[in-house]
């Protein structure tokens, strides 16, 4: 199976994902940032009545919060990105990679048909998955795409 063919057929939840950080929109910005820091995550998925309504990322912290102490007590729903791009459990890894590339996203929520959060795919989850499952192909990539390597470099 080629790399491209493999990721076009593999469902996103085949990737081993850690539990997402899910918070209500009424949570304060400072509380959201603290939860992100505690979990060592660059995002928080924001819900309202268990349905995804937005995403708050480290970019939001840098662009909207840094040096603005007055926003720290506001609800995170005022600073989140509403209606984030999402994928569903049956979407493929290929689709996630395409969406990340097209939108410049580092994480994409995985939701069910009713917009309830199932997981969140991070760019590093994709990279780790590709290295773990396609190591032979990735480690043998030659500098020249037309060249076929038969052994790992240095072997």
């Amino acid at each position: 199976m080629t790399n491209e063919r493999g990721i076009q057929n593999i469902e996103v939840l085949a990737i081993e994902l850690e539990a997402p950080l899910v918070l209500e929109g009424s949570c304060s910005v400072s509380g959201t940032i603290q939860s992100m820091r505690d979990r060592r995550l660059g995002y928080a998925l924001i819900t309202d009545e268990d349905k995804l309504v937005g995403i708050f990322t480290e970019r939001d912290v840098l662009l909207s919060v840094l040096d603005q102490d007055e926003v720290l007590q506001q609800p995170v729903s005022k600073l989140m990105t509403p209606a984030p791009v999402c994928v569903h459990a049956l979407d493929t890894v290929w689709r996630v990679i395409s969406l990340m590339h097209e939108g410049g996203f580092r994480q994409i929520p995985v939701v069910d048909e009713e917009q309830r959060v199932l997981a969140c795919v991070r760019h590093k989850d994709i990279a780790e998955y590709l290295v773990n499952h396609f190591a032979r192909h990735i480690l043998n990539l030659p500098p020249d795409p037309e060249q076929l390597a038969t052994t790992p470099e240095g072997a």
Side-chain angles (χ1 to χ4, degrees):
M1 177 183 323
T2 66
N3 293 346
E4 183 177 322
R5 197 75 171 143
I7 58 178
Q8 285 178 340
N9 297 318
I10 297 168
E11 294 171 1
V12 68
L13 288 184
I15 299 174
E16 191 172 315
L17 303 171
E18 62 183 63
L21 174 58
V22 180
L23 301 171
E24 286 289 321
S26 58
C27 184
S28 70
V29 171
S30 63
T32 302
I33 293 170
Q34 186 60 50
S35 295
M36 290 166 60
R37 184 179 295 143
D38 292 346
R39 291 276 309 275
R40 300 178 63 108
L41 293 172
Y43 73 90
L45 301 180
I46 310 303
T47 60
D48 182 24
E49 296 182 9
D50 289 330
K51 295 183 190 226
L52 182 70
V53 294
I55 187 168
F56 184 78
T57 68
E58 53 200 5
R59 285 183 189 165
D60 295 318
V61 174
L62 289 172
L63 298 174
S64 303
V65 178
L66 203 59
D67 292 333
Q68 296 187 40
D69 293 336
E70 67 277 2
V71 302
L72 291 175
Q73 301 314 311
Q74 291 181 6
V76 70
S77 60
K78 293 194 183 277
L79 296 177
M80 70 183 187
T81 300
V85 171
C86 301
V87 294
H88 293 89
L90 298 179
D91 283 335
T92 63
V93 173
W94 182 255
R95 176 159 167 70
V96 174
I97 292 171
S98 297
L99 289 170
M100 285 180 165
H101 175 71
E102 291 165 9
F105 306 128
R106 295 178 55 176
Q107 48 269 324
I108 295 183
V110 181
V111 296
D112 65 13
E113 300 77 29
E114 296 171 13
Q115 291 300 102
R116 289 184 301 236
V117 174
L118 300 175
C120 188
V121 184
R122 300 171 299 167
H123 65 290
K124 66 184 198 175
D125 296 324
I126 298 284
E128 183 178 328
Y129 179 82
L130 292 175
V131 168
N132 288 337
H133 289 83
F134 299 101
R136 192 175 122 252
H137 299 289
I138 292 170
L139 296 175
N140 284 333
L141 287 176
D144 175 7
E146 301 301 318
Q147 176 187 354
L148 282 173
T150 57
T151 61
E153 191 172 321

